[in-house]
Amino acid sequence: MITIITNKDLGTGTEASQRADGRAFDELRPLKIEAGVLKRADGSAYLELGGNKVLVAVYGPRELHIRRLMQPNRAVLRCRYNMAPFSVDDRKRPGPDRRSVEISKITSEALTPAVFLEKFPRSTIDVFIEILEAEGGTRCAGITAASVALADAGVPMRDLVVSCAAGKADGQVVLDLSEVEDKDGEADVPVAIMPRTGEVTLLQSDGNLTAEEFEKALNLAIEGCKKISKEQKNAIIKRYGD
Amino acid sequence: MVIIIPEIIKESVTNLMKNGERSDDRGFDDYREISLETGVIKKAEGSARVKIGNTQIMVGTKPQIGEPFSDTPNVGVLMTNSELIPMAAPDFEPGPPDERSVELARVTDRCMREAGVLDLEKLAIVEGEKVWMIFLDLHILDYDGNLMDAAVLGSMAAIMDTKIPETRVEGDEIIIDREKMIPLPIKEKALMCTFAKIGGELVVDPSLEEEQILDARISIGMREDGSICAMQKGGMKPLTKDEIIKAVSRTQKITKNLMEHLPHN
């Protein structure tokens, strides 16, 4: 029997009492959003958040071929969250797994309230989220980029849904958890909002928090969303002007 | 979804070709603009983003230690996989790889393997038990024609960009030293050149429009020295022997220029 020993872990250890990457508790990782990056798609967006690289394509509104999904009075918004095999440390086998199926579902539910689906009965709007590189917080990055891609596709919307996570790492409530903080931390709370009304369209929580800590995390995530929202708008303005 | 190409477009593109012209003003031996970046995905041990015109592919490599195939106990493994993700075109569907995707992966794999791009024997760690398996994943992001050439160009660049940890065997243990990352053992370079036959003419690097109306297609994989390592004919109509021989000699010239896009090292 052969044992395989790796002499160095890929992840770096967290330093006590300070965030591993030196950020303040309410500081986002460096963010970049670009709209209209693909030729064939009706709308597209590329987003980098720290080490995350996310590409989103939108097709539609277009004909829906699966009759049982068809809604007589509105369009359906379908999302597919998919990770590239090379996006993570250990190769991810291609195709949907339980995690990506769940994320696809909640992403669709996070975006749906903002879209005027009733304008397109019996049709579909397809959102394809591809994680090219993952470094913690990919579902939020996907939702944020998807809104920009929907806008780029000219889909009428009430608001640009924006998403960001907060959580608890090393006993401290912090914004926008990195991969290490997500793995070693105590809790992760991804949130999406419609910034004009402040309504929450996505909320998950994974880990242990007191009621006070949760409230703090939620507020922090909403503040993070508002910062990211500005970058979403800038990306669209950069592509289309004021 | 059915793509409808009005007969009128087919007729106009074909007529242009008969006059020695293409609808995007390229010459018959001209590629669209090519851009190639490597090392774009840090989580991948090797990566490349290739663009030919608006066609865009992201290629990443992931090395894993695995067991060799029983008939080749002392050689490593190169596994090529491609996904025509629904992002890339309105008629690409989610789900298991369809025949186009499988053909793309297999032709790319054949081109690299038969050219002897990698010295796979150097990827053996313990004979018959442990070898390096290099997974090469093609992620098609935007489909605007000629995936084959982009796939091989991107794969070649990603393999050249790949670094794997050094391994050594001490007794029954394999030590993987992630502090010493070494390049893959590259023996050869190979690229692919695809022609579309439209109106009796062969043109290189078919655009989407040309691909949709072509009569036949031929892809030729070629090493640096001009020898052939893979071929694939496609399309519903035949090619003549003369057309094939001419395509090979044109490929020898074209591949020389194409090689310039690969990183120099």
Side-chain angles (χ1 to χ4, degrees), chain A residues 166-195:
Chain A
K168 191 179 167 192
D170 282 321
Q172 196 186 5
V173 176
V174 293
L175 180 67
D176 183 29
L177 280 83
S178 69
E179 186 175 35
V180 185
E181 289 169 328
D182 189 15
K183 261 187 207 137
D184 302 339
E186 292 93 288
D188 178 24
V189 184
V191 175
I193 61 165
M194 292 195 282

Side-chain angles (χ1 to χ4, degrees), chain A residues 39 59 89 91 130 133-134, chain B residues 43 62 87 137 139 142:
Chain A
K39 167 82 178 351
Y59 284 91
D89 286 330
R91 178 176 184 266
E130 291 293 329
E133 187 159 12
Chain B
K43 283 267 162 85
K62 289 257 91 175
M87 162 179 284
D137 284 288
H139 224 55
D142 211 353

Side-chain angles (χ1 to χ4, degrees), chain A residues 176-222:
Chain A
D176 183 29
L177 280 83
S178 69
E179 186 175 35
V180 185
E181 289 169 328
D182 189 15
K183 261 187 207 137
D184 302 339
E186 292 93 288
D188 178 24
V189 184
V191 175
I193 61 165
M194 292 195 282
R196 291 206 309 155
T197 59
E199 289 167 297
V200 175
T201 65
L202 168 105
L203 177 67
Q204 293 186 292
S205 182
D206 177 8
N208 294 305
L209 291 170
T210 65
E212 291 75 35
E213 283 169 342
F214 171 75
E215 198 182 330
K216 210 171 152 191
L218 184 60
N219 287 330
L220 204 51
I222 289 171

